Amino acid sequence: MKPYEVLLRENKQWAADKIEADPDFFNRLSTLQTPEFLWIGCSDSRVPANEITNTQPGEIFVHRNIANLVIHTDVNLLSVLDYAVVHLKVKHVIVCGHYGCGGIKAAMSNNNYSQVLNMWLRNIKDVYRHNREELDTISDEKLRADRLTELSVVEQVQRLAKTSIIQKAWKQRNAPDLHGWVYGLKDGLINPVYEMKANADIDPLYIYDDL
Ligand code: CO
């Protein structure tokens, strides 16, 4: 049996198990999804949103990219954010990074990756530069990467608050709250490092007045 055929076999077993535990499971989900959460996570295979939060299909709307970045020109991310916030009306948006992130390590190195990866990782280098004073005091490279991971998550959450999508939702329905979390590959635990409740203060320069 080829590796991908194992996936298909396991899928059949999974579907059967689900129906056995809850005969209406697929009927219910096929007609409606009402997730309370949007998850913006790293593409890393070791950080599956549903599994580490013990949630089921239907509970979390998910976007993942390398190092869980919020880039204001990323049509993919903005489409997901718009749909989740405006149409699904999620109550929480979670940016979840993880310690030991390859994207963070790569951004801290001087390696020349492909042009497109260089472009992507440069966003993390900018976070480093904005926090150089604090980061340069940490001599242990691993601890420095861990701290950069936390600081990056804070930056990504703040970027969410700079979008008109979030600001409009805050004005209209006082939601969603924004959360910055970091997951530990070594212990499986999530460290909540930052939070912006709906209508939290943001730099006035970024506030839109005609929402
Ligand atoms: Co990662």
Side-chain angles (χ1 to χ4, degrees):
M1 189 176 275
K2 298 192 175 79
Y4 71 88
E5 290 173 331
V6 175
L7 301 187
L8 295 171
R9 185 195 63 196
E10 288 303 311
N11 164 257
K12 283 197 183 73
Q13 186 60 51
W14 173 80
D17 291 347
K18 281 285 174 195
I19 289 171
E20 195 179 321
D22 178 1
D24 199 37
F25 184 77
F26 292 109
N27 284 337
R28 204 170 54 242
L29 281 178
S30 63
T31 54
L32 187 67
Q33 69 158 344
T34 54
E36 272 188 49
F37 309 97
L38 166 61
W39 176 278
I40 299 171
C42 185
S43 297
D44 193 302
S45 64
R46 299 164 295 180
V47 196
N50 283 128
E51 196 155 345
I52 66 173
T53 55
N54 204 15
T55 48
Q56 296 295 319
E59 293 190 65
I60 306 186
F61 201 67
V62 174
H63 176 82
R64 292 168 73 176
N65 62 42
I66 291 176
N68 42 274
L69 299 181
V70 174
I71 311 293
H72 288 138
T73 51
D74 180 350
V75 175
N76 186 349
L77 174 121
L78 292 176
S79 304
V80 171
L81 182 67
D82 188 275
Y83 187 73
V85 171
V86 177
H87 298 278
L88 296 175
K89 296 187 166 49
V90 295
K91 298 190 177 90
H92 303 273
V93 180
I94 298 156
V95 177
C96 188
H98 66 103
Y99 298 116
C101 182
I104 296 282
K105 284 186 213 160
M108 286 172 69
S109 80
N110 295 104
N111 292 345
N112 178 19
Y113 296 93
S114 62
Q115 171 65 9
V116 70
L117 277 176
N118 287 344
M119 274 170 61
W120 191 256
L121 297 174
R122 205 168 294 134
N123 292 285
I124 305 171
K125 288 182 188 283
D126 290 342
V127 176
Y128 193 110
R129 178 168 51 83
H130 288 140
N131 296 280
R132 186 182 285 283
E133 212 168 308
E134 177 188 345
L135 288 167
D136 280 354
T137 65
I138 306 170
S139 54
D140 183 277
E141 201 172 329
K142 204 195 128 309
L143 293 177
R144 197 158 72 246
D146 285 353
R147 185 59 185 145
L148 177 57
T149 302
E150 294 169 356
L151 291 167
S152 176
V153 155
V154 171
E155 174 69 22
Q156 309 317 313
V157 168
Q158 290 175 346
R159 284 188 191 171
L160 287 173
K162 290 171 183 166
T163 65
S164 58
I165 298 168
I166 291 296
Q167 289 181 24
K168 197 168 182 178
W170 281 2
K171 196 169 175 181
Q172 289 179 343
R173 60 183 178 96
N174 199 36
D177 294 336
L178 311 178
H179 308 266
W181 294 354
V182 182
Y183 171 79
L185 292 176
K186 287 185 177 161
D187 59 12
L189 296 174
I190 292 170
N191 178 20
V193 296
Y194 189 63
E195 185 176 79
M196 286 183 88
K197 294 268 191 207
N199 288 301
D201 288 338
I202 61 175
D203 185 325
L205 186 61
Y206 295 93
I207 298 174
Y208 296 104
D209 62 6
D210 62 343
L211 302 166

